[in-house]
Amino acid sequence: MAWKIVSDSGCDLKVLKNQSDDLRFERVPLTIQIGTDIFRDDEGLDIDNMMATMYQSSRAATSSCPSPDAFLQAYKGADNVIAITITGTLSGSHNSARLAKNYLLEENPNANIHIIDSLSAGGEMDLLVLELERLINLGLSFDEVVDKITAYQERTRLIFVLAKVDNLVKNGRLNKLIGKVVGLLNIRMVGQASQEGDLNLLQKARGQKKAVSALVEEIQKAGYKGGKVYIAHAKNPKICEQIIDKITAIYPDADIQTGTTSGLCSFYAEDGGILMGYEI
């Protein structure tokens, strides 16, 4: 039976390593609006241009979720469908995905479909997609895959480091004075996605090395013991190297993958930031 993994563009992955006729992966793009400019977060997006436009604009940038029909079209063509969305606290994407599920079942009552609110973004969504790929390739049934990915999500977390907070300031989510201090004093904001899907600040660190130390300290407090890690970075491969060095010095067998942020995650993480998913 054919499978589809569907995600919105809160996931950074573009393709699966083991994609086949029996297992396909499809991303449903969100859009980012900066003034009158609209950027569609698909494979054709020039992320550098989008970010330059955002930094040049004094206006707040906003994101828009995909329509239910966009998800519905992505669901079609497979017997088994599992969809993952960015946290419902940041976007209406999850609601669109759920509505599309209802439409699909009206058309095909026998379809197997399951929708996951990641309660997260970026690296944690990437881990969930990679685990789904692994489980499906084991030949498990639809119900078995759903049960196992649900249990797996209980063991994944997201931590982030922000080097810039222009977007947060423009959107009124961060005080302008704090925003200036972050820029002038080389402060890094270290935070996490809560179990409810909110993004919370954990620490402020002076400089990237201290931010990396704070990140490792926080994931250990959360229960990390050397499991899988996926780091999505926004134009900052250096911090990935520093995190890998720091983690593998303590956990030599840690499985760590890296990649670049999608347009949406670049919008949230900003230049120099990371969104890191990890297992506990």
Side-chain angles (χ1 to χ4, degrees):
M1 297 180 76
W3 287 78
K4 253 193 181 182
I5 301 171
V6 175
S7 80
D8 61 29
S9 56
C11 174
D12 307 291
L13 300 172
K14 304 294 192 301
V15 296
L16 302 178
K17 288 183 179 178
N18 299 307
Q19 192 156 308
S20 67
D21 289 341
D22 293 327
L23 173 57
R24 286 173 289 158
F25 174 56
E26 189 164 341
R27 292 169 80 245
V28 182
L30 283 88
T31 57
I32 295 101
Q33 182 166 355
I34 305 165
T36 58
D37 295 306
I38 296 176
F39 299 88
R40 181 179 168 86
D41 190 13
D42 57 19
E43 291 184 4
L45 176 63
D46 183 338
I47 295 176
D48 288 345
N49 177 48
M50 182 192 77
M51 296 304 293
T53 301
M54 189 178 82
Y55 289 131
Q56 289 165 8
S57 174
S58 60
R59 298 182 184 182
T62 59
S63 63
S64 298
C65 67
S67 68
D69 186 63
F71 275 106
L72 177 61
Q73 298 310 314
Y75 295 162
K76 292 182 177 180
D79 306 293
N80 300 316
V81 179
I82 298 185
I84 303 177
T85 69
I86 191 170
T87 174
T89 64
L90 291 179
S91 171
S93 186
H94 183 68
N95 191 49
S96 287
R98 287 195 305 107
L99 288 172
K101 172 184 175 178
N102 295 338
Y103 299 153
L104 180 69
L105 291 174
E106 286 176 8
E107 294 181 10
N108 180 8
N110 296 318
N112 292 321
I113 181 166
H114 179 67
I115 313 296
I116 300 169
D117 183 344
S118 71
L119 302 173
S120 192
E124 186 172 1
M125 287 185 70
D126 303 331
L127 281 181
L128 291 170
V129 169
L130 291 171
E131 180 65 6
L132 276 173
E133 178 186 19
R134 188 187 74 82
L135 293 171
I136 292 167
N137 283 323
L138 289 176
L140 303 179
S141 70
F142 181 80
D143 289 341
E144 287 173 328
V145 170
V146 169
D147 288 345
K148 289 186 179 296
I149 197 64
T150 301
Y152 182 73
Q153 188 179 4
E154 293 293 319
R155 300 195 295 110
T156 58
R157 300 289 184 272
L158 177 79
I159 191 165
F160 59 86
V161 177
L162 305 181
K164 288 187 175 183
V165 291
D166 299 49
N167 194 28
L168 292 174
V169 171
K170 288 177 187 175
N171 281 282
R173 295 185 178 184
L174 193 66
N175 183 280
K176 288 183 179 180
L177 179 59
I178 295 176
K180 287 182 179 179
V181 169
V182 169
L184 291 173
L185 299 182
N186 195 25
I187 300 295
R188 300 292 192 274
M189 312 285 276
V190 181
Q192 68 177 0
S194 72
Q195 293 297 88
E196 294 75 36
D198 298 310
L199 302 182
N200 299 327
L201 179 64
L202 294 171
Q203 293 192 38
K204 298 174 188 174
R206 184 79 175 269
Q208 189 161 285
K209 286 186 178 180
K210 289 185 178 179
V212 169
S213 295
L215 176 147
V216 174
E217 174 190 324
E218 291 294 344
I219 66 173
Q220 286 183 301
K221 283 198 293 188
Y224 180 75
K225 295 181 176 62
K228 290 181 182 177
V229 170
Y230 192 99
I231 310 168
H233 72 91
K235 299 171 66 175
N236 194 352
K238 181 64 176 178
I239 195 173
C240 295
E241 295 171 6
Q242 292 173 324
I243 292 170
I244 291 169
D245 288 346
K246 194 83 171 176
I247 290 177
T248 54
I250 307 169
Y251 308 101
D253 297 326
D255 179 358
I256 306 175
Q257 298 183 57
T258 67
T260 56
T261 47
S262 65
L264 185 71
C265 290
S266 297
F267 167 77
Y268 283 117
E270 299 197 43
D271 288 353
I274 61 138
L275 298 168
M276 187 182 103
Y278 64 97
E279 297 175 347
I280 60 171

